């Protein structure tokens, strides 16, 4: 769980350092997408620890990969053109 939080902080720092010059108000929501993914990953991780008792590492790894991929994709997006090309 600590690794998920550390990766969440790294992913948020990546997205917060992106240039959102043309995004407007949507930049506020876009900045927090990795944090939302991290919180959801933590909830699923703790729920699986109560129910399944194993394969928690799969959930952690999947959440970490998704957070980093989304953060890098947001960072590389040119917001001066349009926000619709994000996903």
């Amino acid at each position: 769980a600590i690794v998920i939080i550390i990766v969440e902080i790294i992913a948020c720092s990546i997205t917060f350092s992106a240039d959102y010059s043309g995004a407007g108000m949507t930049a506020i929501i876009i900045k927090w997408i990795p944090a939302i993914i991290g919180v959801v990953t933590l909830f699923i991780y703790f729920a699986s620890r109560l129910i399944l008792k194993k394969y928690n590492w799969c959930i952690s790894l999947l959440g970490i990969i998704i957070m980093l991929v989304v953060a890098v994709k947001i960072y590389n997006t040119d917001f001066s053109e349009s926000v619709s090309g994000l996903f």
Side-chain angles (χ1 to χ4, degrees), residues 18 40 44 50 68 70 82 87:
V40 170
I44 294 171
L50 294 173
L68 291 176
V70 168
S82 86
F87 295 110

Side-chain angles (χ1 to χ4, degrees), residues 1 3 8 13-14 16 20 22 24 29 40-42 45 51 55 63 67 73 75 80 82:
V3 174
E8 183 177 349
S13 66
I14 291 171
F16 273 72
Y20 297 101
I29 298 169
V40 170
T41 301
L42 282 172
Y45 172 78
I51 298 168
Y55 301 117
M67 271 190 287
K73 189 165 184 138
Y75 184 79
S80 63
S82 86

